[in-house]
């Protein structure tokens, strides 16, 4: 049951006794996780577990399609040693619990912990079950060790509920589900799966739920109500955990009685809808602990355990690393190409309904923290879907999240996919970041742009019409959107081509990079564009790097190019080698807005070594292109010799 993503099965070089040791010390953790927000929350939980752990771990995620896509991509790119991850389809479990009316905000997913004996592998004997709003302050192995304290009859380990909910005295006519005393909280559960199956758990919880629903009509606290009603009938089956294993931070709880010093804490549970704004005399300490893991650099958690390299590291990366020559002057550039960056897809809520006519176009771009201010303007200029990759540290990703949640413009746009590529290494892996945005576009066509350009108003609709007009479905074309620039931070944006031409004549606008890099856009033939009324074909020339609309299955960007230089040029060369026709659109334009120069362009200008390595990579790219495309690529070698 479930699909397994073995992030780090031990390599063959590890001795068999070490492998058996690993299995002996393996700790299993299960979470129900659905949607974009829960997928973000679970990463903070996982970080807190990984930070303290000394044991191999196996995470079991019951997910919807969204969380599966996000978390499988994240763990595969995270490559944490001695961690396995398995996914189980929540849709297949819905029928088990959909008959239960539930008022809790978690909806149907809040009931799925009841199904774990069925959902998880039949040979799995024990598992720790966690809500996504949990933070660990100690090694999870201490919690796992409590299984050894269970009596022969005990099957469930829980912490007492720290609010008065089940006492029924919170307000007049408050009638909670039956519970033993204060009841138990199900944010942290030790499930002895083997014993639960033996006593017929599935049938027992169903009978309990059916009986209580006759009078209660629905659950208020999802699975927790049913667990408590079951325990009330079968108190001998529960093992009560010390309350520091689930310190529940709601406003009216007895959580402060769980510890003498905050250093006694083991697990913090943000189970109030207020989350970080709860009332507690130690809330600042709790908040800081949570924020520490929220912004913690996940790359630091890739450290090896047991001295055994993970299979992913040993087989692919190790081989690639061994091929590199550390004495090579361009070693750092080549090392960057094989660096595996963590990727968190769809960091924010994303909704997209495909257009019915197969002409839809996604604007694809990438950015770092210093370009965030462009996002609102782009959203105002482009109403279609957008796929953005953001190259950021963990802390910067949280700053971006706060920025996006505070922006009325960004909050109201659900068709923007934000994908975080986490920082690592000394170069900006610009083409890798572009490729993440390109791969996650969901439309037949993509507009490959840069985030510091504003598209003309109405460009989205114009491009969709051009896709039909130029029969892009049946031909190989790259539609060129002419690029212009302004040196003014405040620009009255032209509303038409005629207005743009007037501004061009007045010197308010310029053709893009005409004064520093004419070759990059000269083949667009701006003189012809001024009077053109129909699309016209242009030929590739050396160093041409226009912004284009192509089919989504176009070649990806070459990831050897990092930092500044040749990252787009190489992509246009490959499009040309694949015999795409370059067609300039007569009524399309985009305008580059001014910004401070990037760190990488400064390095390029100041470092002869940087320029030497870029030239070396260009030559190697030419050779690879010739091998791949044969005669079609010979002109690039000629062009290179003439430069």
């Amino acid at each position: 049951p479930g699909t397994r993503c073995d992030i780090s099965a031990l390599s063959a070089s590890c001795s068999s006794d070490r492998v058996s040791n690993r299995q002996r010390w393996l700790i299993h953790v299960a979470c129900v996780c659905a949607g974009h927000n829960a997928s973000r929350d679970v990463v903070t939980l996982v970080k807190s577990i990984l930070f303290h752990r000394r044991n191999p771990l196996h995470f079991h995620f019951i997910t919807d399609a969204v969380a599966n896509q996000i978390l499988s991509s994240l763990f595969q790119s995270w490559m944490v040693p001695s961690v396995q991850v398995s996914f189980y389809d929540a849709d297949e479990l819905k029928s088990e619990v959909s008959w239960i009316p539930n008022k809790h905000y978690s909806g149907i997913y809040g009931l799925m912990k009841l199904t774990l004996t069925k959902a998880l592998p039949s040979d799995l004997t024990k598992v720790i079950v966690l809500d996504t709003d949990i933070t660990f302050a100690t090694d999870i192995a201490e919690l796992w060790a409590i299984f050894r304290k269970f009596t022969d009859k005990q099957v469930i380990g829980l912490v007492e509920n720290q609010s008065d909910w089940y006492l029924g005295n919170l307000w007049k006519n408050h009638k909670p589900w039956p519970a033993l005393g204060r009841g138990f909280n199900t944010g942290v559960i030790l499930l002895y799966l083997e014993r639960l199956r033996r006593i017929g758990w599935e049938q027992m919880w169903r009978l309990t739920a059916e009986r209580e629903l006759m009078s209660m009509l629905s659950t208020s606290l999802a699975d927790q109500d049913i667990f408590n009603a079951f325990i009330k009938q079968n108190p001998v089956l529960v093992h009560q955990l010390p309350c520091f294993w689930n310190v529940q931070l709601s406003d009216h709880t007895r959580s402060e009685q769980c510890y003498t010093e905050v250093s006694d804490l083991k697990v913090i549970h943000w189970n109030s809808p207020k989350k970080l704004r709860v009332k507690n005399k130690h809330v600042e300490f709790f908040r800081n602990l949570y924020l520490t893991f929220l912004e913690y650099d996940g790359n630091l958690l890739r450290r090896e355990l047991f001295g055994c390299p993970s299979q992913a590291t040993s087989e692919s990366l190790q081989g690639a690393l061994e091929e590199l020559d550390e004495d090579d002057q361009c070693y750092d550039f080549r090392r960057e190409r094989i660096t595996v960056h963590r990727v968190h897809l769809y960091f924010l809520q994303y909704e997209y309904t495909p257009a019915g006519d197969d002409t839809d176009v996604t604007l694809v771009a990438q950015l770092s923290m210093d370009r965030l201010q462009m996002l609102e303007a782009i959203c105002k200029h482009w109403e279609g879907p957008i796929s953005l990759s953001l190259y950021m540290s963990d802390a910067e990703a949280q700053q971006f999240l706060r920025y996006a949640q505070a922006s009325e413009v960004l909050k109201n746009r659900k068709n923007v996919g934000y994908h975080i590529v986490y920082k690592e290494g000394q170069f900006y892996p610009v083409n890798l970041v572009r490729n993440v945005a390109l791969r996650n576009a969901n439309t037949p066509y993509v507009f490959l742009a840069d985030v510091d350009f504003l598209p003309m108003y109405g460009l989205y609709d114009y491009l969709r019409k051009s896709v039909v007009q130029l029969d892009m479905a049946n031909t190989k074309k790259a539609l060129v959107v002419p690029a212009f620039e302004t040196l003014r931070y405040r620009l009255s944006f032209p509303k038409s081509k005629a207005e743009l031409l007037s501004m061009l004549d007045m010197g308010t606008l310029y053709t893009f990079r005409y004064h520093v890099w004419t070759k990059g856009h000269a083949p667009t033939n701006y003189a012809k564009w001024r009077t053109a009324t129909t699309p016209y074909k242009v030929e590739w020339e050396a160093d041409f790097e226009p912004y284009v609309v192509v089919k989504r299955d176009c070649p990806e960007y070459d990831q050897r190019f990092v930092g500044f230089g040749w990252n787009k040029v190489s992509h246009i060369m490959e499009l040309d080698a694949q015999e795409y026709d370059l067609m300039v659109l007569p009524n399309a334009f985009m305008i580059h807005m001014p910004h401070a120069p990037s760190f990488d362009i400064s390095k390029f200008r100041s470092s002869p070594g940087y320029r030497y390595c870029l030239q070396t990579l260009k030559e190697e790219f030419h050779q690879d292109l010739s091998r791949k495309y044969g005669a079609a690529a010979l002109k690039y070698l000629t062009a290179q010799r003439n430069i």
Side-chain angles (χ1 to χ4, degrees), residues 371-512:
R371 301 286 190 270
L372 266 191
Q373 74 282 358
M374 289 296 300
L375 293 184
E376 288 191 350
I378 285 178
C379 285
K380 289 174 183 175
H381 279 248
W382 178 272
E383 62 270 31
I386 303 174
S387 181
L388 291 172
S389 284
L390 302 92
Y391 189 60
M392 294 179 167
S393 66
D394 294 73
E396 287 172 338
Q398 295 307 317
Q399 288 178 50
F400 159 67
L401 177 61
R402 291 191 289 273
Y403 173 83
Q405 289 174 335
S407 162
E408 288 301 319
V409 174
L410 302 188
K411 264 196 307 191
N412 293 326
R413 280 294 291 272
K414 301 299 184 192
N415 64 347
V416 182
Y418 298 98
H419 315 294
I420 307 291
V421 179
Y422 286 103
K423 282 183 177 177
E424 188 171 8
Q426 58 178 306
F427 295 105
Y428 191 129
V430 59
N431 278 356
L432 177 147
V433 181
R434 281 196 176 107
N435 284 338
V436 169
L438 176 56
R439 285 175 207 140
N440 290 285
N442 296 313
T443 57
Y445 302 96
V446 286
F447 173 30
L448 304 177
D450 272 342
V451 79
D452 38 18
F453 278 87
L454 289 182
M456 72 175 199
Y457 292 111
L459 183 61
Y460 171 60
D461 288 334
Y462 176 61
L463 292 182
R464 291 181 65 180
K465 288 171 185 164
S466 300
V467 160
V468 176
Q469 180 190 352
L470 291 161
D471 192 24
M472 284 189 68
N474 302 304
T475 56
K476 268 184 146 177
K477 289 192 178 80
L479 311 186
V480 175
V481 177
F484 299 84
E485 68 178 318
T486 178
L487 303 180
R488 301 182 180 187
Y489 280 89
R490 294 181 67 83
L491 174 75
S492 176
F493 201 90
K495 294 180 174 56
S496 65
K497 178 176 178 177
E499 202 174 315
L500 178 134
L501 291 174
S502 173
M503 294 170 77
L504 206 57
D505 293 337
M506 289 190 300
T508 314
L509 290 177
Y510 307 91
T511 55
F512 185 54

Side-chain angles (χ1 to χ4, degrees), residues 151-165:
T151 65
D152 290 346
K153 287 193 169 63
Q154 288 172 341
V155 296
I156 300 174
L158 291 164
V159 168
E160 186 179 57
N161 202 45
Q162 287 154 26
S163 80
D164 290 350
W165 179 271

Side-chain angles (χ1 to χ4, degrees), residues 220-508:
S220 294
L221 300 181
D223 65 78
Q224 186 166 293
D225 284 339
I226 296 170
F227 271 105
N228 274 292
F230 169 80
I231 290 165
K232 178 82 184 280
Q233 294 293 314
N234 306 278
V236 71
L237 300 179
V238 71
H239 178 93
Q240 184 168 336
L241 303 174
C243 71
F244 50 62
W245 283 112
N246 183 354
V247 177
Q248 300 146 40
L249 294 183
S250 291
D251 278 352
H252 306 289
T253 70
R254 309 185 330 157
S255 57
E256 290 169 24
Q257 297 176 25
C258 284
Y259 53 91
T260 310
E261 302 289 333
V262 286
S263 57
D264 299 336
L265 285 166
K266 306 284 189 185
V267 171
I268 297 160
H269 184 186
W270 302 91
N271 62 324
S272 163
K274 292 183 178 180
K275 300 302 178 191
L276 301 189
R277 301 189 310 279
V278 294
K279 294 172 186 170
N280 179 292
K281 67 181 179 184
H282 295 122
V283 72
E284 280 304 310
F285 173 84
F286 297 136
R287 191 183 289 122
N288 289 337
L289 181 69
Y290 173 80
L291 293 175
T292 295
F293 292 116
L294 189 72
E295 301 186 354
Y296 189 81
D297 182 354
N299 297 326
L300 300 176
L301 298 166
R302 287 170 161 175
R303 63 179 185 266
E304 298 289 351
L305 295 183
F306 323 115
C308 268
S310 67
Q311 189 172 27
T313 304
S314 61
E315 288 180 6
S316 56
L317 288 185
Q318 207 58 40
L321 278 169
E322 285 168 5
E323 287 180 17
L324 298 182
D325 177 7
E326 290 193 32
D327 296 325
D328 179 356
Q329 187 178 338
C330 303
Y331 172 82
D332 290 339
F333 284 83
R334 302 189 194 286
R335 177 73 178 79
E336 181 62 49
R337 190 179 180 185
I338 58 172
T339 297
V340 178
H341 291 264
R342 275 180 302 138
V343 176
H344 187 134
L345 302 177
Y346 300 105
F347 196 66
L348 298 182
Q349 191 75 26
Y350 174 76
E351 295 165 17
Y352 168 68
T353 305
D357 58 3
D358 288 332
T359 66
D360 214 355
V361 182
T362 297
L363 188 152
V364 172
Q366 52 77 34
L367 67 150
S368 53
M369 201 67 190
D370 59 346
R371 301 286 190 270
L372 266 191
Q373 74 282 358
M374 289 296 300
L375 293 184
E376 288 191 350
I378 285 178
C379 285
K380 289 174 183 175
H381 279 248
W382 178 272
E383 62 270 31
I386 303 174
S387 181
L388 291 172
S389 284
L390 302 92
Y391 189 60
M392 294 179 167
S393 66
D394 294 73
E396 287 172 338
Q398 295 307 317
Q399 288 178 50
F400 159 67
L401 177 61
R402 291 191 289 273
Y403 173 83
Q405 289 174 335
S407 162
E408 288 301 319
V409 174
L410 302 188
K411 264 196 307 191
N412 293 326
R413 280 294 291 272
K414 301 299 184 192
N415 64 347
V416 182
Y418 298 98
H419 315 294
I420 307 291
V421 179
Y422 286 103
K423 282 183 177 177
E424 188 171 8
Q426 58 178 306
F427 295 105
Y428 191 129
V430 59
N431 278 356
L432 177 147
V433 181
R434 281 196 176 107
N435 284 338
V436 169
L438 176 56
R439 285 175 207 140
N440 290 285
N442 296 313
T443 57
Y445 302 96
V446 286
F447 173 30
L448 304 177
D450 272 342
V451 79
D452 38 18
F453 278 87
L454 289 182
M456 72 175 199
Y457 292 111
L459 183 61
Y460 171 60
D461 288 334
Y462 176 61
L463 292 182
R464 291 181 65 180
K465 288 171 185 164
S466 300
V467 160
V468 176
Q469 180 190 352
L470 291 161
D471 192 24
M472 284 189 68
N474 302 304
T475 56
K476 268 184 146 177
K477 289 192 178 80
L479 311 186
V480 175
V481 177
F484 299 84
E485 68 178 318
T486 178
L487 303 180
R488 301 182 180 187
Y489 280 89
R490 294 181 67 83
L491 174 75
S492 176
F493 201 90
K495 294 180 174 56
S496 65
K497 178 176 178 177
E499 202 174 315
L500 178 134
L501 291 174
S502 173
M503 294 170 77
L504 206 57
D505 293 337
M506 289 190 300
T508 314

